[in-house]
Amino acid sequence: MDYLIADTLPWFATQQERLRGALGAGRLSHAFLMLAPPGLGADSLAEWLAALVLCEGPQPRPCGGCASCRLMSADNHPDLHVVRVEEDAQQIKVEQIRDLIAELAFKSYRGGYKVGLMLDADLMNTSGANALLKTLEEPAPNTLLVMVSRPTHRLPVTIASRCSRLALRPPDSGVAEAWLAQRAPKRSWAAALQLAGGAPLRALALGEQGMAELDADMTAALAQLAADKVDVTLLAERWIKSEPALRLAWLENWITRRVRAALAEGDSRQSAEPVRLNGALLKAKIRAQFELLDAAREFRRLATTSMNQQLALEALLVNGRAAITG
Ligand SMILES: [Zn+2]
C-alpha cells in the first residue's frame, strides 16, 4: 500500500500534525473512527496512521525507508491486519472481524504496535460490531484500531462511542482546485468538484470520464424531457448503457440545487405577504423535487443489486417529470 499518498493531500495536513503530536506525547487513542465522504482519500490517511505508529525510522515518521515502512509498502507487514469488504460481498463478514480480533491479541512480531485497519467499516453487520465490542472495551496495550466509514449513521453507537472520531470534510474549493490544477492544469475543475460534493479525488476521477461532456449531455436530456420531446424508454436505455451511477449522481446534484432554490423562494415569501395559492404550488413543487431526489438516491443504492435498471429508471423519469419541468 502507498501510505505516503496521504502526504500529497494537503487537506489532511492538520490532522497528520495532530496525530504525530499525540503519538509523540504518548496519548494516542487506541481506536479511531474516521468519518469521510468517498473521494477524500480517507483510506490513505488511515494507512498513513498505521505507518506512523509502525515506523521504526527517523522523524518525521512515517519515513518510508525503514524495514517496517518497506514491509508496509509491500503489503506484507506482520503487525498490520487490514479488513475490507471482499469482492462481490455486500458486507464485512463476521469471520473477518474475528480474524482481526485474534490478530490484534497476538504479541507484536516486531516488538512495536499491532494495528488493525478496517476500511468500509459502515458495512460491518451487527454480529460483527458485537464481536468487536470487547476489543474496543478492553484494548490491549500498544494496539491501534483504525476504522474508516462514510459519514452515515449505520455504525452502532456502542462502537462509535468507544473510538476517537475524526470527521474528515472536503477542503475549501480553493484548496481542492489548486490541488486538481497541479494534476491537470488545463481544465476548470469547479463543475466536477461540485458534482463530487467537493471531494477532490472523486472530482479527479470524474474529470477523467469527461465531466464537461456529461454536463452538456444531461442538461440537453432534461430540457428535452421537460419539453416532452424525448422517448423515455430510449433515454433510460441510453443512460443505463453509459455511466448510470454518474448520471444519477449528476441528477441528484441538479435536483438538490433546485430544492435549495425553491426553499429559498419559500423563505422569502414567508416574510412577505402570504400568497396562499402560490404557496401551495410551491409546496407541491418542493414535494415533487424531494420525491425525485429520494428516487434517485434509492436507484443508486439499489443499482448494485439485481433490480431491473431499465424499468426502474423509466419509472423514475416518468414520475420525476413534474420536478424536472417545474
Ligand atoms: Zn519508517
Side-chain angles (χ1 to χ4, degrees):
M1 67 178 61
D2 189 358
Y3 51 85
L4 292 175
I5 287 177
D7 285 336
T8 68
L9 308 176
W11 48 93
F12 289 149
T14 310
Q15 297 286 4
Q16 288 174 303
E17 210 172 295
R18 279 192 198 141
L19 291 164
R20 269 200 188 107
L23 180 65
R27 49 176 176 77
L28 192 75
S29 171
H30 66 278
F32 284 93
L33 174 59
M34 295 183 178
L35 298 165
L40 218 54
D43 288 1
S44 298
L45 182 65
E47 290 168 357
W48 178 92
L49 177 54
L52 174 71
V53 300
L54 291 171
C55 177
E56 298 157 4
Q59 301 289 351
R61 289 177 175 173
C63 71
C66 71
S68 185
C69 283
R70 288 203 306 273
L71 284 166
M72 264 198 83
S73 298
D75 291 325
N76 205 17
H77 200 297
D79 292 318
L80 174 66
H81 189 85
V82 183
V83 175
R84 67 191 337 150
V85 174
E86 289 168 356
E87 218 172 310
D88 301 328
Q90 305 291 323
Q91 288 184 325
I92 291 176
K93 294 170 184 153
V94 69
E95 295 77 36
Q96 290 179 276
I97 305 281
R98 293 204 179 107
D99 286 349
L100 170 73
I101 294 165
E103 199 61 49
L104 287 179
F106 278 127
K107 203 165 168 286
S108 165
Y109 289 94
R110 296 188 61 83
Y113 263 88
K114 296 287 293 184
V115 182
L117 204 58
M118 194 193 299
L119 311 174
D120 324 301
D122 47 327
L123 299 181
M124 174 168 51
N125 63 22
T126 314
S127 319
N130 287 338
L132 192 61
L133 207 51
K134 197 162 178 293
T135 302
L136 285 169
E137 280 171 340
E138 297 162 25
N142 282 349
T143 59
L144 173 68
L145 178 64
V146 186
M147 294 188 276
V148 180
S149 164
R150 285 171 296 175
T152 60
H153 299 287
R154 290 175 61 180
L155 269 179
V157 70
T158 45
I159 294 288
S161 64
R162 285 172 173 81
C163 300
S164 290
R165 267 189 251 195
L166 288 184
L168 304 171
R169 296 190 179 87
D172 291 343
S173 56
V175 173
E177 284 184 42
W179 182 84
L180 284 161
Q182 281 178 349
R183 274 141 194 91
K186 281 182 188 164
R187 57 174 281 141
S188 161
W189 286 101
L193 259 179
Q194 218 234 329
L195 178 53
L201 296 170
R202 181 149 168 74
L204 190 63
L206 294 177
E208 284 159 7
Q209 293 171 32
M211 251 298 301
E213 289 88 339
L214 176 76
D215 216 29
D217 185 68
M218 290 296 288
T219 307
L222 293 192
Q224 285 182 334
L225 196 66
D228 206 4
K229 281 183 181 164
V230 68
D231 183 322
V232 170
T233 305
L234 290 179
L235 183 64
E237 200 179 302
R238 192 163 71 79
W239 284 13
I240 294 296
K241 278 184 186 157
S242 160
E243 301 288 359
L246 186 57
R247 289 176 186 280
L248 265 292
W250 189 99
L251 187 62
E252 271 178 46
N253 201 17
W254 181 84
I255 200 76
T256 302
R257 286 201 304 272
R258 289 174 68 98
V259 168
R260 281 200 194 120
L263 289 173
E265 197 183 328
D267 276 353
S268 65
R269 277 193 196 173
Q270 269 176 8
S271 57
E273 197 70 15
V275 185
R276 291 232 170 98
L277 183 61
N278 286 353
L281 282 174
L282 185 63
K283 267 186 197 161
K285 182 166 103 178
I286 293 172
R287 191 166 55 238
Q289 288 172 342
F290 270 119
E291 279 168 9
L292 177 59
L293 194 56
D294 283 346
R297 283 181 183 150
E298 184 70 359
F299 182 92
R300 285 218 293 159
R301 198 176 68 78
L302 295 175
T304 52
T305 68
S306 57
M307 77 162 177
N308 185 324
Q309 294 204 359
Q310 171 77 30
L311 288 180
L313 186 55
E314 275 179 45
L316 183 148
L317 290 172
V318 170
N319 296 331
R321 188 176 258 155
I324 290 165
T325 312

